[in-house]
Amino acid sequence: MGSFRPDPNILKKHPNAVTQQQIDERGRFFGTLLGAAAGEALGAPHENKTAGQVGGHRDITGGGIWAAGEPTDDIDLTLILLRSIIARRKLDLDDVAQGMLRWFAGKPKDVGSLTRAALENLRAGEPPAQSGALAWEDSGRKAAGNGSVMCCAPIGLLHVKDLDGLAEDATAASRITHYDPRCVAACIGVSTAVAWLVRGGKDGEEAVARAASAAGAVSDDVLAAIERGASKKPSDLHVDGEDRGFVLHTVELAFSALSSAGSLEEGIASVISRGGDTDTNGCVAGALLGAKFGKSAVPERWVSKLKAASELNSLAEQLYKQL
C-alpha cells in the first residue's frame, strides 16, 4: 500500500489554502478566551473557600455548579479590553478606560478594591495612565492584587503575529487599575505565554521560559513565581489564606497547571481545588491552558452554559482576521 506524499508546492498552486498549522493556531486562539471564561465560571461558586471545602474534580466540573455561567468581573473586563482592541485595532487606553467606566456605572457586584479605587479616579477625571498609580499610592504602595492579570489575555492575542510592543501594551493595560510592578510583570508574563502558546502549540516549555524572562525584566518576584509554579503541581501550593487575591499566588498556580496538567479540564479543576480566589485563578489558568490545548479541549457541556461564549467566539473571529 503506497503512502500519501503531500505536494510541497501546494501553497504555490493554492495560495488561499488553509494549512493544518493555521487550523491548530486558530483553535488555540479561540481556546484562550473560552478557557478563561470556563475557568472563571467553574471557579465562581467556590470563591473564598479553603482547599478542604472545595471538593473533588467531580464537584468542580459537574453541571450543577455553574450558577448559569454568569460572567464576573474577570470576563467582563476581558470583554471590555477585547472589544476596544478590535474597534481601535490596537490598545487605546482612553477607549479602554471609557469602557471600564461604562461598566462601573452599571454598579457591578464583583469589583476588587484596587480596581474600584482606580475607576473612581478615572471617574474624577484622572487619565488612565495615572488612575492606577494614584490608587496604588493610596494603598501605601503595597497593593498587588490579581485584578489586571485576570483580564490581560487579549494583549497576548493581539500580539500573536507580532510580539513587538507586547510588554509595553501589557504594562499600559495593567496600570489603568494595577500599577504595582508585580501586577505589571504578571500581565507581561501571562500575555507573553499566551502569545507563544498560540503560536507554537502544546510544547509549553518555551512559552514558560519566554514568560519568565519577559516578566523578570520588571519584577524578580514574578520571575520567581513563574519558575516556582512551573516546577510544582497545583496540589503543592497553598493559595487560600487571607492574601488569597495576591497576584503572585495566581501566577504561580496558573503556571503550575500549565506545566503539569495533561488536559485543560484536569488543569482547571486542579487550580480551583486549591480554594482561595478560585474564579480569578481559574480564569488565568484557563486562558493559558486554552492557549495550549485549543478550543476543542474546552468541553461543549461547559461552553453551552457560558453566557459570554457567543460573544467571545465572535470577537475572537474578528480579532483573528485582523491580525
Side-chain angles (χ1 to χ4, degrees):
M1 184 175 183
S3 60
F4 171 73
R5 299 189 180 206
D7 183 348
N9 296 312
I10 188 69
L11 289 179
K12 292 180 181 178
K13 295 178 181 179
H14 304 281
N16 294 322
V18 178
T19 67
Q20 187 61 48
Q21 182 178 350
Q22 290 171 317
I23 292 171
D24 292 342
E25 181 185 88
R26 184 176 182 275
R28 294 189 294 269
F29 195 96
F30 281 59
T32 301
L33 297 174
L34 291 177
E40 177 207 45
L42 285 165
H46 305 286
E47 188 175 15
N48 297 327
K49 292 180 181 179
T50 65
Q53 293 171 329
V54 174
H57 185 107
R58 221 174 255 186
D59 300 308
I60 295 167
T61 61
I65 56 89
W66 277 83
E70 290 280 4
T72 62
D73 60 338
D74 306 60
I75 294 302
D76 282 343
L77 292 171
T78 299
L79 284 167
I80 289 167
L81 182 56
L82 190 57
R83 292 177 194 131
S84 178
I85 285 172
I86 291 167
R88 302 291 176 156
R89 295 179 175 264
K90 64 178 183 177
L91 177 67
D92 183 324
L93 287 189
D94 290 328
D95 191 62
V96 173
Q98 288 305 309
M100 288 181 169
L101 284 176
R102 287 191 294 271
W103 170 76
F104 193 46
K107 298 182 179 179
K109 296 178 182 178
D110 188 13
V111 185
S113 58
L114 198 59
T115 298
R116 182 180 296 278
L119 294 182
E120 291 288 4
N121 290 335
L122 281 176
R123 188 153 61 182
E126 296 294 343
Q130 291 295 321
S131 53
L134 293 172
W136 184 57
E137 290 287 350
D138 289 342
S139 77
R141 295 191 173 191
K142 295 179 180 179
N146 54 18
S148 59
V149 74
M150 71 187 185
C151 59
C152 69
I155 299 295
L157 297 180
L158 174 64
H159 287 277
V160 162
K161 301 292 186 184
D162 185 0
L163 296 173
D164 289 343
L166 184 152
E168 290 79 2
D169 281 352
T171 297
S174 179
R175 285 178 173 175
I176 297 174
T177 56
H178 289 68
Y179 194 86
D180 189 286
R182 292 166 292 184
C183 302
V184 170
C187 287
I188 293 172
V190 169
S191 298
T192 299
V194 164
W196 277 97
L197 287 165
V198 171
R199 285 161 63 104
K202 292 187 177 182
D203 181 7
E205 289 187 15
E206 183 173 11
V208 171
R210 297 276 184 173
S213 176
V218 175
S219 169
D220 290 339
D221 289 337
V222 177
L223 166 63
I226 292 173
E227 292 180 338
R228 256 194 331 269
S231 68
K232 297 181 179 181
K233 295 181 179 180
S235 58
D236 297 328
L237 304 177
H238 300 281
V239 297
D240 56 353
E242 290 185 2
D243 59 347
R244 58 179 65 93
F246 187 32
V247 69
L248 296 186
H249 287 337
T250 298
V251 168
E252 187 174 5
L253 196 53
F255 278 93
S256 175
L258 175 64
S259 299
S260 65
S263 70
L264 180 141
E265 182 171 340
E266 175 196 334
I268 290 177
S270 67
V271 164
I272 294 169
S273 72
R274 305 314 301 150
D277 195 1
T278 48
D279 60 338
T280 295
N281 294 339
C283 184
V284 178
L288 293 179
L289 292 163
K292 178 179 181 179
F293 291 110
K295 180 180 179 179
S296 63
V298 187
E300 179 56 33
R301 72 181 190 278
W302 296 2
V303 176
S304 65
K305 295 177 180 178
L306 287 173
K307 290 200 170 182
S310 178
E311 184 178 8
L312 287 170
N313 274 317
S314 175
L315 293 172
E317 183 71 43
Q318 292 176 60
L319 181 57
Y320 190 72
K321 286 180 177 178
Q322 286 182 7
L323 298 181

